[in-house]
Amino acid sequence: RREPDGSWALTSPISSPADARATELFLNELTSAHALRFVTDPAESKALSTRLEAPALRLSVEGSSGGSALVVGEPIEGLEGARVRPAKVEGLPVVFLVDESFVSLLTHAESRLRDRRLLVFEPASITSIEIHDLDDRLSLHKLEDGRWDALHLDADGQLTQRPGDEQSINEFLRALRTLETLTFVTDAPSLDDLKTYGLHPPERTLVLKRNNDSKLTLHLGKYSESASGHYAGREQGGYVFTADENLRGLLQPSILQFRQ
């Protein structure tokens, strides 16, 4: 779905920002796709039409000028043994054939179009940063005059307050924006899954608060040897992915890297 601000978002089966460039390329490929052959023989057209009564795939495109839907059937053997599929635009009688490359374009859309950035935000919009683990809690707050205040609470209840270093905090936010997902692990993790991945409770948590009072929350879990990264999840998304192993070092609940 295209959002009012022009960005793209996945709405099903998961809720996630979409990669704008990848989405535009996907749409360009859709509009440049061609039918292999139109089926003009009445008997063949009738036989293939029955295969589209319960289609394998359905693509619906909607816009300001209306919408249309394309249905694609199961594969059949075409000329020279190549696998082709019958297809048609809903509401129109003409049946045509498409190849597996077109089907692949549709079936891999979700993984291709998902925005792989860990967190999507504008650094200037961030008004507070919180990083905590089971023992320490670090809070950074932007004051009305633009300066930052840094507070650290340790496991013994000892509170430390220092002026924050604006350059260090801005570098931290810029580094966060460059990090990307390594692999998508699961879109519907169970409670046992979250425990296995070290995300219930999380080993570390980052909370970014923006000037419109909305929040971005990132949970960090155990290290994954196979992915060479850490399991992680966003509270807003609900799915689990792996993130760069350097993320744990970045999310240190220590006042030292942020104090003036």
Side-chain angles (χ1 to χ4, degrees):
R1 181 183 63 206
R2 191 192 294 270
E3 303 289 16
D5 63 359
S7 63
W8 286 90
L10 276 70
T11 59
S12 178
I14 50 95
S15 177
S16 170
D19 186 296
R21 177 169 173 77
T23 303
E24 295 298 335
L25 289 173
F26 172 77
L27 291 174
N28 287 338
E29 290 183 55
L30 277 183
T31 56
S32 63
H34 289 79
L36 295 176
R37 175 172 67 89
F38 290 100
V39 180
T40 56
D41 180 80
E44 184 185 11
S45 178
K46 183 177 180 180
L48 293 179
S49 293
T50 60
R51 291 174 173 263
L52 296 172
E53 293 175 357
L57 293 169
R58 184 178 187 274
L59 168 69
S60 176
V61 181
E62 298 178 6
S64 57
S65 59
S68 61
L70 174 76
V71 290
V72 182
E74 297 291 349
I76 57 175
E77 293 298 322
L79 295 175
E80 300 177 355
R83 285 163 61 88
V84 296
R85 296 188 184 226
K88 64 179 294 186
V89 176
E90 287 186 341
L92 299 178
V94 181
V95 176
F96 50 90
L97 300 177
V98 296
D99 60 16
E100 287 295 322
S101 65
F102 178 75
V103 174
S104 179
L105 175 65
L106 302 183
T107 55
H108 294 92
E110 180 186 337
S111 60
R112 175 182 173 182
L113 300 183
R114 291 174 78 161
D115 194 328
R116 304 188 76 87
R117 289 177 293 176
L118 292 194
L119 295 168
V120 181
F121 64 92
E122 290 299 326
S125 70
I126 301 302
T127 58
S128 74
I129 304 167
E130 183 176 301
I131 307 172
H132 65 82
D133 57 20
L134 299 179
D135 297 316
D136 296 274
R137 182 178 296 270
L138 172 72
S139 297
L140 307 169
H141 299 275
K142 182 182 282 189
L143 305 177
E144 291 185 359
D145 60 4
R147 293 180 298 114
W148 284 84
D149 196 25
L151 297 95
H152 178 261
L153 183 67
D154 63 22
D156 298 324
Q158 182 71 33
L159 180 66
T160 303
Q161 183 174 5
R162 296 286 186 273
D165 184 75
E166 183 177 357
Q167 180 177 347
S168 298
I169 294 171
N170 287 336
E171 288 176 356
F172 168 79
L173 292 174
R174 284 195 292 268
L176 275 181
R177 294 185 74 211
T178 64
L179 295 177
E180 294 189 344
T181 298
L182 298 179
T183 59
F184 293 104
V185 179
T186 174
D187 290 333
S190 66
L191 183 59
D192 287 340
D193 290 335
L194 294 177
K195 291 179 180 179
T196 300
Y197 301 141
L199 293 169
H200 186 78
E203 295 186 1
R204 229 162 249 185
T205 295
L206 166 73
V207 181
L208 301 179
K209 186 175 181 180
R210 294 182 281 200
N211 49 22
N212 61 0
D213 287 335
S214 64
K215 293 182 179 180
L216 294 172
T217 303
L218 179 69
H219 299 302
L220 191 66
K222 295 178 180 178
Y223 181 76
S224 168
E225 291 285 350
S226 60
S228 298
H230 289 274
Y231 291 112
R234 285 197 297 246
E235 191 167 295
Q236 293 77 11
Y239 52 90
V240 176
F241 49 90
T242 55
D244 191 286
E245 58 187 348
N246 294 324
L247 180 60
R248 186 176 182 85
L250 188 64
L251 299 185
Q252 289 281 356
S254 168
I255 201 171
L256 297 179
Q257 63 175 326
F258 298 110
R259 62 179 290 183
Q260 195 176 75

